Amino acid sequence: MKIHEYQGRDLLASFGIPVPAASVIESIDDAATTYKQVTKEAGVTLAVVKAQVHAGGRGKAGFVKLVRSPQEAEDAARFMLSNKMVSVQTGPEGLEVTKLLVAAGVEIAHEYYLAITTDRASRRHTLIASAEGGVEIERVAAENPDAIIKAQLHPLLGLQPYQAREIAFRLGFRGKQVSQAVKVMMNLSKLFLAKDCTIAEINPLILTPATGSDPDGQVIAIDAKFNFDDNALFKHKDIQALFDPAEENPAELKAQKFGLSYIALDGNIGCLVNGAGLAMATMDTIKLYGGEPANFLDVGGSATEESVTEAFKIILSDHAVKGIMVNIFGGIMQCDIIASGIINAARGYKNDDGSTGFKVPLVVRLEGTNVDAGRKLLQDAAGDLPTLQAATDLGDAAEKVVAAVG
């Protein structure tokens, strides 16, 4: 599960990590007033208006703007709330913006990158830091890997103070800056573990310029990104409350209601499979034969006719889908039962024009318990379901569905 930046900043603050004063608005009319409030609280005239969407590339898309007056804040809000944000991560269709963060601006002497995530190779939570913050960390890792600092967290104790101090010195912090940076790292580690995060990222973490009254400057987080382990959300009602359904794919939300695991992709061949591993193999095989999967959809090991019917509805709600491949291995789920479900769903499906039955090719591969009975049901149904084809194995199914969609 993802959350918005403003929610992430609140989380950081709740764990003792300093963030600038900020407020969230949903109306152009609130922009000028909110600008005055946050700048007055911080004692500055500079503010930043940032679109709140679950996608990166906001700055390059023009959806992060520095403003120095109430009128500029209002103009920025009008632009962002009246246009879709289009970036590399959103695709050409873009995302509608409904919330804006108006935050007090801060002077920046240096930017840093700081994050904690799970290193699958070592199977350990790992802190990642770099003195090159504010840019794509993937590019830094590719072009200058020595700029990336990593430290593995203890499985039970988390990040240790000596690790944080060593990283702070390696990042170039000096004097009182070191203790500030250590506090941020230690508290981020506590937050990561306490809330079952899969990623907790601050980019950038900044150092403010030295002044006469503050010769060391301040270490402050001015952006936040969090993802959480969906399987652990039952423990965190407060995190569940941060979920924004408007930022999610409606088909994926519908799938969750029926116990289906669905992820939309960019291809034109819909996939209905039981088992995550088999679904991955199915998508790989479709690509091997020259096709492009339109989704990942796992109906699980005990799918019913109702859930299969809903799965087809979800797949076909994507108008890019030109064909469907069903790949079922019957264990707990018996092939004859699933075949009946597929046939009934195909016959009863209602198209937008009011007609019934699938208009797109449907290729079904069954294997496992009661497979012979299941295949016979498919063969018998082919007479009144002209789009239905049975396949003998995975390769045969992929080849047929790719050929069928052209």
Side-chain angles (χ1 to χ4, degrees):
M1 186 186 113
K2 299 178 181 179
I3 61 174
H4 287 294
E5 175 194 355
Y6 75 89
Q7 297 166 322
R9 288 164 68 110
D10 289 343
L11 265 181
L12 292 178
S14 70
F15 275 75
I17 298 174
V19 296
S23 186
V24 177
I25 63 171
E26 299 182 23
S27 168
I28 299 169
D29 297 335
D30 295 331
T33 302
T34 304
Y35 165 85
K36 294 175 184 177
Q37 291 174 344
V38 298
T39 53
K40 181 180 180 180
E41 180 180 344
V44 297
T45 58
L46 176 68
V48 59
V49 180
K50 307 173 81 172
Q52 298 299 283
V53 292
H54 289 174
R58 293 176 299 172
K60 293 179 181 179
F63 282 72
V64 175
K65 293 185 180 293
L66 295 174
V67 296
R68 292 176 171 81
S69 70
Q71 185 60 53
E72 287 185 5
E74 186 174 312
D75 292 342
R78 180 173 291 105
F79 169 77
M80 295 181 195
L81 293 175
S82 303
N83 295 278
K84 286 189 174 182
M85 190 192 95
V86 179
S87 74
V88 174
Q89 293 190 18
T90 67
E93 67 277 5
L95 289 176
E96 183 177 355
V97 179
T98 60
K99 296 183 179 70
L100 303 176
L101 177 72
V102 182
V106 292
E107 296 294 329
I108 300 174
H110 195 90
E111 296 183 349
Y112 306 85
Y113 178 90
L114 184 65
I116 301 176
T117 188
T118 302
D119 179 359
R120 299 298 175 185
S122 64
R123 294 183 291 181
R124 298 277 291 273
H125 297 318
T126 301
L127 184 142
I128 304 170
S130 176
E132 298 185 25
V135 296
E136 297 89 347
I137 194 65
E138 295 86 359
R139 180 171 63 80
V140 175
E143 298 177 1
N144 186 17
D146 292 339
I148 305 295
I149 302 168
K150 296 182 180 180
Q152 294 182 341
L153 277 62
H154 189 282
L156 298 178
L157 303 178
L159 185 70
Q160 297 298 289
Y162 79 87
Q163 293 176 299
R165 285 193 296 272
E166 179 183 349
I167 292 169
F169 282 117
R170 292 180 64 185
L171 290 174
F173 290 110
R174 296 293 180 265
K176 294 181 180 179
Q177 302 166 4
V178 174
S179 60
Q180 294 183 53
V182 167
K183 181 179 179 182
V184 170
M185 285 184 265
M186 295 299 297
N187 287 343
L188 188 65
S189 170
K190 294 175 183 177
L191 194 167
F192 180 90
L193 297 173
K195 299 300 182 181
D196 288 298
C197 301
T198 56
I199 186 168
E201 178 184 270
I202 301 172
N203 187 29
L205 179 73
I206 67 147
L207 176 65
T208 62
T211 63
S213 59
D214 186 14
D216 291 293
Q218 297 294 312
V219 179
I220 301 173
I222 63 171
D223 200 349
K225 175 183 176 181
F226 286 90
N227 286 2
F228 302 90
D229 184 351
D230 291 341
N231 295 315
L233 286 177
F234 72 94
K235 297 189 293 182
H236 305 289
K237 301 298 182 184
D238 57 332
I239 301 300
Q240 290 183 42
L242 303 180
F243 178 69
D244 184 356
E247 291 291 323
E248 302 297 325
N249 184 309
E252 294 179 10
L253 292 178
K254 185 178 180 181
Q256 291 177 13
K257 294 180 180 179
F258 289 91
L260 307 171
S261 297
Y262 173 86
I263 299 172
L265 302 172
D266 297 327
N268 62 357
I269 298 176
C271 303
L272 190 158
V273 190
N274 67 322
L278 187 59
M280 297 297 288
T282 300
M283 294 190 294
D284 287 346
T285 308
I286 288 173
K287 290 182 72 69
L288 180 65
Y289 280 87
E292 289 293 335
N295 64 267
F296 169 100
L297 195 154
D298 174 14
V299 297
S302 55
T304 63
E305 183 174 323
E306 180 187 21
S307 63
V308 170
T309 300
E310 290 302 325
F312 280 129
K313 289 180 181 179
I314 291 167
I315 290 172
L316 291 171
S317 68
D318 179 356
H319 295 294
V321 171
K322 304 303 179 185
I324 300 175
M325 175 174 164
V326 177
N327 187 17
I328 298 294
F329 185 85
I332 299 174
M333 187 190 305
Q334 298 179 16
C335 290
D336 54 340
I337 294 175
I338 198 66
S340 296
I342 292 169
I343 293 165
N344 291 336
R347 285 172 174 164
Y349 182 80
K350 292 183 179 181
N351 297 289
D352 293 339
D353 61 5
S355 62
T356 57
F358 286 169
K359 291 186 175 181
V360 300
L362 173 64
V363 178
V364 181
R365 179 256 182 163
L366 299 176
E367 194 61 72
T369 307
N370 292 352
V371 64
D372 292 335
R375 288 175 178 172
K376 186 176 187 307
L377 287 170
L378 294 175
Q379 291 171 359
D380 294 343
D384 64 328
L385 291 174
T387 64
L388 173 64
Q389 297 184 64
T392 56
D393 56 40
L394 178 53
D396 181 44
E399 185 175 16
K400 284 180 176 178
V401 75
V402 170
V405 301

